[in-house]
């Protein structure tokens, strides 16, 4: 190898080393670049940053004292499953693998907020009597969270609608087909 070839290799290695040194100096570990002001050390005006407080279950507002924070997201057709979050704990979701087609129901103790039971009921090809027995067994003072996945009303009869109406639902209208 001639001297000019060795010289070129040395120049390439020095250029790589200098580039690496500049990158390590002016970029932090998260690869966030520094501005020209930071590099040249010009003083900056202090900006006022307001930190948004973290809310439970990613809801928009912070709940007042003695209130529960919850978020229910119904499924999208039969593609994306529903999810339920209560006091910043996911209680039902496709990740937890405890959801199914139809109605997804979570029961919670209204006083302590403790999860009692979760279940799902296939309202397309399943038996509506299983849902009826489940709903009739719910004790007074239990929080009922419900989310749909696909069509929940295919087999819903007036008896089921009446129970939901008595629990406070405004959507399960009695006498609706």
């Amino acid at each position: 190898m001639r001297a000019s070839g060795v010289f070129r290799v040395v120049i390439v290695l020095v250029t790589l080393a200098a580039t690496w040194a500049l990158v390590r100096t002016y970029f932090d570990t998260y690869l966030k670049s520094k501005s020209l002001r930071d590099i040249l050390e010009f003083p900056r005006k202090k900006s006022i940053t307001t930190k948004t407080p973290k809310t439970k279950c990613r809801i928009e507002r912070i709940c007042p004292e003695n209130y529960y924070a919850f978020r229910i997201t119904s499924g999208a057709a039969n593609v994306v499953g529903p999810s339920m979050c209560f006091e910043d704990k996911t209680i039902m979701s496709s990740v937890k693998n405890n959801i199914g087609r139809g109605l997804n129901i979570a029961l919670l103790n209204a006083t302590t907020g403790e999860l009692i039971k979760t279940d799902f009921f296939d309202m397309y090809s399943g038996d509506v009597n299983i849902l009826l027995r489940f709903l009739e067994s719910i004790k007074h003072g239990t929080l009922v969270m419900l989310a749909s996945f696909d069509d929940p009303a295919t087999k819903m009869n007036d008896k089921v609608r009446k129970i939901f109406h008595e629990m406070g639902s405004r959507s399960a209208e009695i006498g609706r087909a």
Side-chain angles (χ1 to χ4, degrees), residues 41-60:
E41 297 180 4
F42 286 122
R44 276 188 170 209
K45 293 180 182 175
K46 295 204 177 198
S47 61
I48 300 171
T49 57
T50 57
K51 192 171 187 177
T52 308
K54 184 182 180 304
T55 59
K56 294 179 181 177
C57 294
R58 297 179 303 160
I59 56 177
E60 294 175 8

Side-chain angles (χ1 to χ4, degrees), residues 18-162:
T19 304
W20 178 252
L22 284 172
V23 167
R24 295 285 294 168
T25 303
Y26 295 112
F27 292 90
D28 63 10
T29 57
Y30 297 106
L31 295 179
K32 292 181 183 175
S33 62
K34 292 187 176 185
S35 70
L36 186 60
R37 284 188 181 143
D38 289 338
I39 293 169
L40 300 176
E41 297 180 4
F42 286 122
R44 276 188 170 209
K45 293 180 182 175
K46 295 204 177 198
S47 61
I48 300 171
T49 57
T50 57
K51 192 171 187 177
T52 308
K54 184 182 180 304
T55 59
K56 294 179 181 177
C57 294
R58 297 179 303 160
I59 56 177
E60 294 175 8
R61 294 179 284 174
I62 296 175
C63 290
E65 280 293 315
N66 300 321
Y67 281 77
Y68 290 126
F70 69 93
R71 179 184 183 117
I72 301 173
T73 308
S74 285
N78 62 353
V79 181
V80 179
S83 66
M84 292 183 204
C85 176
F86 186 80
E87 285 295 301
D88 221 17
K89 292 181 192 133
T90 302
I91 55 176
M92 289 187 87
S93 73
S94 56
V95 174
K96 292 185 80 120
N97 200 25
N98 62 351
I99 60 166
R101 179 173 70 174
L103 293 176
N104 293 271
I105 301 175
L107 303 178
L108 299 117
N109 183 316
T111 307
T112 63
E114 184 179 323
L115 181 65
I116 298 170
K117 185 177 185 177
T118 63
D119 210 344
F120 56 89
F121 303 91
D122 189 347
M123 298 301 290
Y124 186 74
S125 61
D127 184 11
V128 72
N129 292 317
I130 297 170
L131 173 64
L132 270 171
R133 284 192 296 274
F134 180 83
L135 293 175
E136 289 169 345
S137 72
I138 297 173
K139 296 177 183 164
H140 184 73
T142 302
L143 291 176
V144 180
M145 295 176 70
L146 182 121
S148 64
F149 186 21
D150 205 359
D151 185 11
T154 305
K155 289 194 171 186
M156 193 179 291
N157 58 25
D158 281 345
K159 198 169 185 180
V160 172
R161 291 178 195 277
K162 183 175 186 245

